[in-house]
Amino acid sequence: MKKRVVFSVDDVAGARAAMDQLRAAGIADQSISLIARSDKSEMIPDDRKVVEGDFYPAAAKGAAGGAALGLVAGLVAVAIPPLGITFAGALAMAVGGSVLGAWSTALSGSALDDPVRRQFEDEVQAGRILVVVDAEEEQVGLTYRTMVASGAKPLPFERPTAMT
């Protein structure tokens, strides 16, 4: 499983130098992303920008919650004989609830900024660039050492990367 760690640099040149050092240390190029204020983000290539929201985590939570709610509703309907719902009907309600829950929460999750951007909005607004690294667990220490040596400031964020 990968862990997401975040660092702050002063400018695009600092971000470029940090990325070069990370690649030289063996961190995969596709594991490095950047977050910047809108007036600086035009200097960052699109493939480097973090554009994630809470889409996938929200969809997973919604699917689980919707399935549970649909199953409970289906089982209640089975317990009321005049409705004529079978166990297959209860399972169909669970599937329907799962789909509806995933769809609705994914929509709301896609409207939210990335959790890293939300947590460090003050850094971004101050004009600093966030270097986000999704490193394998055994590379996290190397990532910290490399980034600090490049002059980057480590930020208090270390979480498992969603959906890995």
Side-chain angles (χ1 to χ4, degrees):
M1 175 178 282
K2 290 186 174 187
K3 285 199 173 186
R4 178 165 284 181
V5 291
V6 182
F7 304 87
S8 177
V9 295
D10 291 327
D11 53 23
V12 174
R16 193 170 291 124
M19 288 171 37
D20 289 343
Q21 288 188 17
L22 284 168
R23 285 191 289 262
I27 303 298
D29 195 45
Q30 64 269 19
S31 297
I32 307 167
S33 301
L34 302 173
I35 298 175
R37 200 171 57 194
S38 60
D39 62 327
K40 289 189 175 191
S41 68
E42 58 205 32
M43 294 182 269
I44 298 172
D46 287 340
D47 63 332
R48 291 276 169 231
K49 293 179 185 175
V50 173
V51 293
E52 301 169 2
D54 278 349
F55 182 84
Y56 291 113
K61 290 175 190 171
L69 190 61
L71 183 61
V72 168
L75 292 175
V76 168
V78 167
I80 303 171
L83 293 177
I85 304 287
T86 64
F87 283 109
L91 290 177
M93 289 179 78
V95 170
S98 176
V99 169
L100 185 61
W103 174 73
S104 62
T105 57
L107 284 177
S108 64
S110 67
L112 295 175
D113 279 337
D114 179 75
V116 173
R117 186 178 192 102
R118 285 194 313 258
Q119 184 170 340
F120 301 112
E121 185 65 29
D122 55 335
E123 288 277 328
V124 173
Q125 290 308 317
R128 297 180 60 82
I129 296 174
L130 304 183
V131 180
V132 181
V133 183
D134 293 332
E136 297 292 339
E137 286 193 62
E138 59 273 3
Q139 292 180 319
V140 170
L142 171 67
T143 300
Y144 274 104
R145 288 189 301 277
T146 302
M147 291 299 288
V148 169
S150 76
K153 172 181 146 188
L155 298 176
F157 189 95
E158 187 174 313
R159 295 188 190 154
T161 302
M163 308 307 274
T164 59

